Amino acid sequence: MAFLSSSSPTMQKGIFVSVPVLVLSVSFAAAVIFLLTSSLSTCSCPSSVSSPNDVVGSVSDVRLEEKISTTREDVEWVRDLIRSNGLHMQKNELRKGINPRTRDQQLADLIQYKGISHYEGDNHTALPCPGELLVEQHHSNYGEPWAGGRDVFEFLAQSSNLKPNSRVLEIGCGTLRVGLHFIRYLNPTHFHCLEKDELSLMAALRYELPSQGLLHKRPLILRGDDMEFSKFGLDTAYDLIYASAVFLHMPDKLVWTGLERLVEKLKPYDGRIFVSHNVKFCSRLGGDECAKKLASLGLEYLGKQTHDSLLFNHYEIWFGFRRVKQ
């Protein structure tokens, strides 16, 4: 027997607990503690206190939407960086280095050595790329700097209020001077293009997309010169359709045929068609006739917009249209 009482000469009433009862009580308490400990160790409940690392990790997993346009703050930032490094524009000539070469010299080297890696035998790369593309001769095919493509993208994307899930069609995307920026910004498969020139298509598919790491975006780029768009999908609806200088080189009749087919593929009211440089295909009809023809197609002329870029000494004129019929 265990005796739990205060000992006193007067022998006050005590409390007696038998050994078996005591053992059972201790065992029960131990079992309860074990069960509580086990349940807490396997609990998937969030901790009431998060460490800074946990917060940073959760934020880094969220893909932020890419900003479209360059701001004056961006320009000031890079100007400050140039000034702080004491940089001044020097004469553009070959510098001393490992192997400074002009484009023509690079091309001669590629032909002689069968590729960048100086293969001893035949070039065995998975996607052979002609030397003319590797030295980027196609970047000089536009009559203006290649970098201007970024400006065109910024203007069109901003003017059309594009989002990554928007859909875009370019008529005559060439070697993707502009298209690359749309492809990078948009969700996979959301950029479409109709281009007739084989050399431009080869440059786009065998050099530009791979070199920019954009093959996974799966743009739909098709060859054609007939303004036939059914091959892009009968139910496809675009937020933006644009043609940069392409309509200048087409017969007016073909341009109107193309517009008639495009109207049904443009989202009503919010979708936009942009044409660069001029709209002589329309103005040659005369003001009233042009307006009537556009109305018959369900198109509304939104006016001329100028894009005077903050970058690259670039300036362009664009003409906008929207669909006003369901």
Side-chain angles (χ1 to χ4, degrees), residues 31-287:
V32 171
I33 292 172
F34 175 78
L35 291 173
L36 287 174
T37 305
S38 300
S39 63
L40 287 174
S41 65
T42 58
C43 178
S44 60
C45 307
S47 172
S48 59
V49 179
S50 300
S51 68
N53 290 336
D54 292 337
V55 175
V56 172
S58 64
V59 172
S60 64
D61 291 337
V62 178
R63 178 176 176 243
L64 298 177
E65 184 177 324
E66 180 185 345
K67 188 175 71 172
I68 291 176
S69 293
T70 301
T71 65
R72 293 194 178 276
E73 288 77 12
D74 296 330
V75 174
E76 287 305 313
W77 173 84
V78 75
R79 280 178 171 172
D80 288 342
L81 197 58
I82 291 170
R83 283 193 293 264
S84 66
N85 280 288
L87 302 179
H88 302 280
M89 190 62 197
Q90 304 294 323
K91 183 179 179 182
N92 189 20
E93 59 186 14
L94 287 177
R95 304 291 197 269
K96 289 182 179 180
I98 296 175
N99 187 25
R101 315 290 275 166
T102 65
R103 279 184 175 172
D104 289 340
Q105 290 171 331
Q106 289 179 52
L107 180 57
D109 289 346
L110 288 170
I111 294 172
Q112 179 179 353
Y113 297 111
K114 303 178 182 178
I116 296 174
S117 297
H118 296 251
Y119 292 107
E120 293 182 358
D122 292 333
N123 187 328
H124 51 75
T125 186
L127 185 65
C129 189
E132 291 84 353
L133 301 183
L134 288 173
V135 300
E136 300 180 343
Q137 288 185 343
H138 57 282
H139 284 191
S140 301
N141 291 348
Y142 291 89
E144 59 182 39
W146 178 264
R150 176 69 197 185
D151 277 335
V152 174
F153 160 74
E154 290 187 6
F155 167 76
L156 293 175
Q158 199 76 39
S159 300
S160 306
N161 194 30
L162 287 193
K163 304 297 180 186
N165 64 345
S166 299
R167 293 185 180 275
V168 174
L169 170 65
E170 180 175 4
I171 303 169
C173 59
T175 57
L176 298 179
R177 185 176 72 114
V178 179
L180 285 174
H181 304 285
F182 279 105
I183 294 168
R184 183 177 293 109
Y185 177 74
L186 297 171
N187 290 341
T189 74
H190 281 213
F191 178 84
H192 294 175
C193 165
L194 185 68
E195 171 60 52
K196 73 172 185 177
D197 184 62
E198 183 176 6
L199 177 60
S200 295
L201 288 170
M202 289 296 286
L205 299 176
R206 294 180 72 171
Y207 180 77
E208 292 300 338
L209 287 178
S211 69
Q212 297 294 323
L214 295 174
L215 290 174
H216 69 285
K217 285 302 191 83
R218 301 292 195 271
L220 183 54
I221 301 173
L222 300 177
R223 187 180 185 185
D225 59 359
D226 54 0
M227 299 292 273
E228 176 54 58
F229 305 105
S230 60
K231 58 191 78 174
F232 292 106
L234 297 177
D235 298 326
T236 304
Y238 295 105
D239 300 272
L240 169 65
I241 300 171
Y242 70 96
S244 181
V246 174
F247 288 173
L248 303 179
H249 310 293
M250 288 184 180
D252 289 355
K253 184 178 180 181
L254 182 58
V255 174
W256 284 108
T257 298
L259 287 175
E260 183 176 1
R261 294 170 178 171
L262 288 171
V263 170
E264 298 301 318
K265 292 189 166 294
L266 185 67
K267 289 184 178 179
Y269 304 107
D270 293 330
R272 293 290 183 270
I273 294 177
F274 277 101
V275 178
S276 72
H277 292 74
N278 64 58
V279 285
K280 289 185 177 179
F281 65 88
C282 198
S283 59
R284 277 191 281 260
L285 294 176

Side-chain angles (χ1 to χ4, degrees), residues 292-309:
K292 289 179 182 178
K293 190 150 190 174
L294 287 173
S296 69
L297 298 179
L299 286 174
E300 178 185 10
Y301 175 55
L302 298 176
K304 181 173 74 173
Q305 294 179 250
T306 56
H307 174 52
D308 193 1
S309 172

